[in-house]
């Protein structure tokens, strides 16, 4: 686990940032695995790729309070059409960022909330439309404009879905960062709208 | 006059082969869609989301004509929505693409049946053919159109019944009744496609052989007033009258009245036997739908109904049994109701109710797809094609200038004929061509591969 203060119930900005970025790691892995974007065998390789890099950057942004949301986009490999969009929006308590105060919340409580979201992601396969074709994924970060862009990231368009179906999942709150999860997906052929 | 072996009911039974589980899964999904459609508002930034979703379109507009006022408005909007405070970044090194494509049965337990995406078929928006139907009576409670299994369409215009052969488009007159007996109030082909029953305003029913052009008999005394609806069940002709009575007539025997169903207080305008011939659905001007079951027949007293469905608030003429799900009945209400309701006729439960916005005159299920066609009156006089079970409108067919009171389906299930008080008979290729035209089993090899698919 990343650095956390000794007294378990006290959450600092750094601690909260660590929790949130760890959550993103788990969530991203879970989404890729459950949605079948990568077959099981190659999953170990994919896990090592890129996601740790993503996490360290996120932590930096989270500590600065500059990260607004993280979006994982699943697109068709052939047509590059966006099929699914996992949106994690972040609300940062600006007091904590500016004044460096800390908050109180039980570790167990936060973990429980995160577990609830993970379970929801896993069970989302029951209603999300099948991804029949080969897919690739992309990660987008919505940040404040005054953030310097590290060389591993480039500017991008939001990669939205037109007329999506949206499902809101549970959220979790460290009292410093509040993360909401929303998945939007392209309407399935079945529900011709 | 043995109509047993050529009964069209057994044909229908052979075609319905959908396992019950699949239907339930689909419905659960569409219900969940309706539940989930509005997510938790408090947690969502709706303004932002809406702006983002429409942003692309707005940009295109700006490229053509951009007034300074609009530009300033955009800027203002962007500021208030914190747009220019956000930068969207994507990770530069794109992740590797999946090496192999595995079939979707692999790893993720998919709840959806793996269905190959069919291209959407084109539904012609105008009628393929329009025929003149002068003197067609514009009365909601009558049933003046029926398409027989021999591909001959029967239509009653005033006092005359005409037969239109769909294979060569030829018209012939079957019978013209006297003024005092007429007009003709209902026509219905027997399952064999050769014999036809004609109900009259004077409460009599005539039985004709259309190939020999000969009247076989007249059924008298079953009703006290006009016979507006009829339905065949093998050798039983069920007639519904303005007196509210429903009579089962065995056409083979002299004393033809074998059973009477009492329950409706007013005219019986809708009458349909289920595909199995076990249940009869009847709709009346008293806004009630009754389900009658053959197993409840008793010789001593008038038969009691199995279900009495009172949810409609207007006359129910439109009745249609689902060909691919037994015990599913669709009913449509008249001008004061305007809804289509779906029922489980085992339990009598109402499964769904859809407001169509217009009087429902007739309903037809597609034999090829999971679709339902309804015909309407004021104001559009349209035919609406619905996807089942989502009840999404797939098409609206316009053309009639008066309420579309009568509809009939061709025996091959591809074409629908509709007739209205505007004195036209229109044909619509709305149901498309059957997906698999299986004629005869070819080789043993093919039969074996079919068994695998069924599993």
């Amino acid at each position: 686990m990343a650095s956390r203060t000794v007294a378990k119930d006290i959450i600092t900005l750094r601690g909260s940032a660590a929790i949130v970025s760890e959550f993103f790691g788990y969530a991203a892995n879970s989404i890729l695995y459950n949605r079948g974007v990568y077959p099981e065998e190659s999953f170990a390789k994919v896990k090592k790729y890129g996601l740790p890099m993503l996490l360290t950057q996120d932590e930096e942004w989270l500590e600065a309070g500059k990260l607004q949301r993280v979006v994982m986009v699943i697109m068709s490999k052939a047509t590059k059409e966006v099929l699914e969009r996992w949106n994690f929006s972040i609300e940062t308590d600006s007091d904590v960022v500016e004044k460096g105060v800390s908050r109180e919340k039980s570790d167990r409580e936060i973990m429980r909330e995160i577990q609830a979201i993970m379970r929801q992601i896993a069970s989302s396969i029951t209603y999300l439309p099948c991804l029949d074709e080969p897919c690739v994924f992309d990660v987008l970060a919505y940040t404040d404009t005054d953030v310097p862009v590290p060389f591993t990231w480039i500017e991008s368009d939001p990669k939205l879905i037109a007329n999506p179906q949206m499902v809101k999942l549970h959220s979790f709150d460290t009292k410093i960062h509040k993360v909401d999860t929303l998945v939007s997906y392209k309407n399935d052929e079945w529900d011709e709208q | 006059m043995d109509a047993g072996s050529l009964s069209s009911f057994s044909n229908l039974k052979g075609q319905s082969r959908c396992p019950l589980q699949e239907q339930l899964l689909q419905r659960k999904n569409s219900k969940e869609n309706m539940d989930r459609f509005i997510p938790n508002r408090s947690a969502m930034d709706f303004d932002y989301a809406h702006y983002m979703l429409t942003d692309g379109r707005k940009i295109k507009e700006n490229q053509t004509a951009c007034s300074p006022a609009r530009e300033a408005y955009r800027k203002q909007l962007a500021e208030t929505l914190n747009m220019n405070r956000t930068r969207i970044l994507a990770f530069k090194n794109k992740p590797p693409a999946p090496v192999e494509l595995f079939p979707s049965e692999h790893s993720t337990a998919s709840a959806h049946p793996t269905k190959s995406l069919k291209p959407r078929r084109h539904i012609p928006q105008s009628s393929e053919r329009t025929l003149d139907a002068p003197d067609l009576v514009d009365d909601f409670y009558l049933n003046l159109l029926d398409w027989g299994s021999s591909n001959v369409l029967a239509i009653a215009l005033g006092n005359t019944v005409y037969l239109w052969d769909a294979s060569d488009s030829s018209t012939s007159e079957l019978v013209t009744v006297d003024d005092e007996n007429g007009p003709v109030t209902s026509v219905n082909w027997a399952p064999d496609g050769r014999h036809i029953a004609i109900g009259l305003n004077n409460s009599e029913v005539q039985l004709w052989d259309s190939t020999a052009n000969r009247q076989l008999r007249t059924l008298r005394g079953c009703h006290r007033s006009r016979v507006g609806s009829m339905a065949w069940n093998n050798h039983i002709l069920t007639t519904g009258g303005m007196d509210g009575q429903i009579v089962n007539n065995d056409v083979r025997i002299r004393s033809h009245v074998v059973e009477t169903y009492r329950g409706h207080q007013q005219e019986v305008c809708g009458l349909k036997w289920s595909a199995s011939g076990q249940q009869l659905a009847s709709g009346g001007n008293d806004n009630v739908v009754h389900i009658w079951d053959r197993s409840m027949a008793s010789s001593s007293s008038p038969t009691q109904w199995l279900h009495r469905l009172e949810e409609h608030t207007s006359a129910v003429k439109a009745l249609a049994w689902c060909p691919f799900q037994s015990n599913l009945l669709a009913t449509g209400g008249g001008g004061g109701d305007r809804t289509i309701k779906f029922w489980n006729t085992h339990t009598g439960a109402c499964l769904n109710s859809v407001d169509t916005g217009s009087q429902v005159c007739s309903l037809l299920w597609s034999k090829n797809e999971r679709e339902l066609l309804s015909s309407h009156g004021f104001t559009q006089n349209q035919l609406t094609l619905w996807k089942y079970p989502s009840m999404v409108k797939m098409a609206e067919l316009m053309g009639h200038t008066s309420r579309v009171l009568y509809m009939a389906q061709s025996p091959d299930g591809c074409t629908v004929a509709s007739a209205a008080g505007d004195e036209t008979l229109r044909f619509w290729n709305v149901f498309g061509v059957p997906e698999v035209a299986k004629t005869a089993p070819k080789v043993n090899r093919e039969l074996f591969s079919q068994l695998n698919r069924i599993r």
Side-chain angles (χ1 to χ4, degrees), chain A residues 34 38 49 68-69 135 137-138 140-145 147 151-152 154-156 160 167 185 191-192, chain B residues 33 36-37 40 43 48 52 84-90 92-96 98 107-108 110 115 120 392:
Chain A
N34 279 305
Y38 291 97
Y49 159 80
Q68 292 174 9
R69 58 170 86 182
C135 289
F137 78 94
D138 225 345
L140 306 176
Y142 283 56
T143 62
D144 289 349
T145 35
V147 157
F151 74 97
T152 43
I154 51 170
E155 294 259 9
S156 161
L160 296 168
V167 184
Y185 58 95
D191 322 325
E192 287 158 68
Chain B
N33 281 344
R36 294 192 261 101
F37 189 65
N40 186 347
Y48 179 78
M52 285 302 293
N84 54 355
R85 289 217 288 119
T86 304
R87 165 186 265 141
I88 302 173
L89 301 168
K92 193 190 261 179
N93 295 335
K94 297 303 171 187
S107 72
T108 55
S110 168
K115 181 183 159 92
R120 253 211 243 167
V392 169

Side-chain angles (χ1 to χ4, degrees), chain B residues 189-422:
Chain B
W189 285 99
D192 66 354
R194 177 182 167 153
H195 299 95
I196 183 168
I198 299 170
L200 302 178
N201 196 36
N202 68 352
S203 83
E204 288 178 2
V205 177
Q206 292 183 0
L207 247 52
W208 283 75
D209 179 338
S210 64
T211 23
N213 249 332
R214 189 165 70 88
Q215 182 175 2
L216 298 174
R217 71 185 292 186
T218 307
L219 306 176
R220 293 191 182 84
C222 28
H223 290 281
R224 290 190 294 275
S225 38
R226 75 179 181 191
V227 178
S229 53
M230 295 190 293
W232 282 90
N233 184 353
N234 287 339
H235 51 262
I236 303 281
L237 172 65
T238 311
T239 54
M242 196 180 201
D243 50 11
Q245 282 194 43
I246 299 169
V247 178
N248 278 348
N249 303 281
D250 187 333
V251 296
R252 305 168 300 182
I253 58 182
R254 189 184 178 80
S255 168
H256 49 86
V257 179
V258 292
E259 208 173 348
T260 309
Y261 296 139
R262 275 182 241 274
H264 283 287
Q265 247 60 47
Q266 293 185 49
E267 177 155 26
V268 178
C269 40
L271 211 56
K272 285 273 160 59
W273 279 101
S274 67
S276 60
Q278 184 64 23
Q279 289 184 322
L280 173 72
S282 65
N285 196 28
D286 51 2
N287 309 349
V288 174
V289 174
H290 280 115
I291 309 288
W292 312 87
D293 199 304
R294 300 206 70 187
S295 57
M296 295 179 71
S298 74
S299 48
S300 49
S301 51
T303 314
Q304 175 70 275
W305 61 77
L306 180 65
H307 295 296
R308 184 183 163 93
L309 313 171
E310 293 174 308
E311 268 92 328
H312 279 288
T313 55
S314 199
V316 183
K317 179 183 164 188
L319 299 171
W321 291 92
C322 181
F324 51 85
Q325 192 176 334
S326 61
N327 309 313
L328 176 65
L329 174 71
T331 59
D337 179 89
R338 301 181 293 274
T339 63
I340 299 176
K341 296 194 198 289
F342 297 90
W343 311 87
N344 176 335
T345 56
H346 265 342
T347 62
C350 181
L351 305 169
N352 194 5
S353 178
V354 179
D355 187 4
T356 65
S358 175
Q359 165 190 60
V360 183
C361 305
S362 184
L363 284 173
L364 284 178
W365 287 95
S366 167
K367 290 181 193 158
N368 309 324
E369 307 280 339
R370 303 217 194 301
E371 291 162 3
L372 181 67
L373 183 71
S374 60
S375 73
H376 297 273
F378 186 78
T379 51
Q380 308 234 37
N381 309 314
Q382 82 278 23
L383 279 79
T384 308
L385 184 67
W386 310 83
K387 186 99 190 102
Y388 186 79
S390 61
M391 287 313 282
V392 169
K393 272 190 207 176
M394 288 179 63
E396 276 191 317
L397 308 175
M398 314 284 187
H400 280 290
T401 54
S402 157
R403 52 189 185 164
V404 187
L405 291 174
Y406 319 110
M407 268 211 306
Q409 194 176 42
S410 63
D412 64 7
C414 304
T415 316
V416 167
S418 66
D422 60 3

